[in-house]
Amino acid sequence: MLQKVFPFKIQTIQTDNGTEFIYKYISDTELCPFDIALKNAGVQHKLIPPRTPWHNGKVERSHRNDRRYFYNWEKFASVEDLNRKLKDHLRWSNRKPMRTLGGKSPLDLLREILSNA
């Protein structure tokens, strides 16, 4: 899905060492479905060092904000309801100006980068 909607080629995905991303602490031979999908898509998988969540600081902040502004407030009657509400939340959060982006929204910054490419 990401490759369809991103306006550029995804070259690398960085994750922590969770078993939802990699089986390196579970099996020396079996690949995680996530790793298989990345290999099939030609995307490199970069792992942060274990026990270093600050390497994923932007992701951690994003998760904290999603919890604060979405999951702590919303209730979901179904997966479809969750997806509908999440789509609205993402539309809002991608248009919200952020101090860390110089007062621009993520969407504004992306547009600026693409127009200079």
Side-chain angles (χ1 to χ4, degrees):
M1 267 178 22
L2 288 175
Q3 288 180 315
K4 289 179 183 177
V5 299
F6 269 42
F8 45 83
K9 182 178 177 358
I10 299 171
Q11 299 174 357
T12 304
I13 298 280
Q14 178 175 303
T15 70
D16 62 21
N17 293 268
T19 55
E20 66 271 33
F21 302 120
I22 190 157
Y23 286 174
K24 83 179 196 181
Y25 299 115
I26 295 175
S27 171
D28 291 331
T29 57
E30 188 178 353
L31 286 178
C32 174
F34 185 75
D35 260 340
I36 293 168
L38 291 179
K39 283 183 190 295
N40 291 340
V43 175
Q44 180 185 355
H45 188 187
K46 180 179 176 184
L47 298 170
I48 65 170
R51 295 172 298 284
T52 56
W54 54 88
H55 280 92
N56 256 3
K58 291 178 183 175
V59 172
E60 297 296 333
R61 180 180 0 200
S62 174
H63 289 180
R64 186 176 59 242
N65 285 336
D66 288 343
R67 188 171 41 256
R68 178 186 297 158
Y69 297 116
F70 182 67
Y71 294 106
N72 286 348
W73 291 95
E74 296 288 346
K75 301 290 183 234
F76 315 109
S78 65
V79 172
E80 292 78 18
D81 186 37
L82 164 67
N83 287 333
R84 189 180 73 260
K85 289 177 179 180
L86 183 57
K87 186 176 180 180
D88 290 341
H89 170 71
L90 291 173
R91 188 176 296 116
W92 169 79
S93 66
N94 284 326
R95 287 167 174 75
K96 180 181 175 201
M98 300 177 73
R99 192 174 17 182
T100 57
L101 299 178
K104 298 174 185 168
S105 72
L107 189 57
D108 291 337
L109 186 59
L110 177 61
R111 285 182 180 137
E112 184 179 303
I113 290 168
L114 291 175
S115 70
N116 293 328

